[in-house]
Amino acid sequence: MNTPAPARRRSIEDKSWVLAPLLELPHVIHAAVISGDGFIEGSSPGLQRDAAEGVAAMMSALQGAGRAVTAAFAEQHDAKLRQTVIESEEGWVFAIPAGENTCLAVFAAPDVNMGVVAHHMQIQVSTLGAKVMNSPARDLGNSA
């Protein structure tokens, strides 16, 4: 009896080191590198694994929804996001694309200087370059 091979998750390189300069900014609490298909590729040291995985899944969905809403408003099919910002009583969430199929997200306290955080996120992404931040799409495996 042939049983199909179980789906394999791709090996994810830990990119937490990318976040260090952002975590040094005043009022920044957490940061994460997230693949477009909802995997956590790096997170700040204080962010628990379950929370990081939840953030990754929700941010992936939010980025997809942002592209869909933008495409609908702009009446075009290939909308690209530059930045997603969420304001809450607990603070701010900033997310920017960071290479192919990757997003950089930061959570900061309500009194953060938004411009400074957004600027440093852009610097970090451009300094690292698309090559470091690329995340290939998830490999679900095949029986080969």
Side-chain angles (χ1 to χ4, degrees):
M1 174 189 216
N2 258 349
T3 58
R8 291 176 289 165
R9 291 180 69 181
R10 64 186 166 91
S11 171
I12 300 173
E13 176 190 346
D14 187 356
K15 296 178 180 169
S16 298
W17 60 271
V18 168
L19 307 171
L22 299 171
L23 294 168
E24 294 174 2
L25 296 174
H27 308 291
V28 168
I29 300 166
H30 290 297
V33 179
I34 301 163
S35 72
D37 48 2
F39 287 105
I40 193 77
E41 297 195 343
S43 62
S44 49
L47 188 59
Q48 298 299 315
R49 180 79 184 163
D50 318 0
E53 289 175 354
V55 165
M58 290 179 277
M59 189 54 67
S60 177
L62 183 61
Q63 294 287 296
R67 284 188 298 275
V69 166
T70 302
F73 271 130
E75 297 180 2
Q76 66 182 90
H77 298 289
D78 190 24
K80 301 214 187 278
L81 296 182
R82 291 187 187 171
Q83 176 175 263
T84 303
V85 179
I86 301 168
E87 178 184 13
S88 72
E89 289 182 5
E90 287 73 29
W92 296 88
V93 176
F94 304 90
I96 62 169
E100 187 67 30
N101 197 38
T102 305
C103 165
L104 181 61
V106 168
F107 176 63
D111 51 349
V112 72
N113 183 324
M114 295 172 55
V116 169
V117 172
H119 177 74
H120 281 276
M121 289 175 74
Q122 291 292 343
I123 288 172
Q124 194 65 357
V125 168
S126 63
T127 299
L128 295 169
K131 186 173 182 180
V132 173
M133 297 301 282
N134 285 347
S135 298
R138 176 173 35 172
D139 176 14
L140 296 177
N142 44 16
S143 57

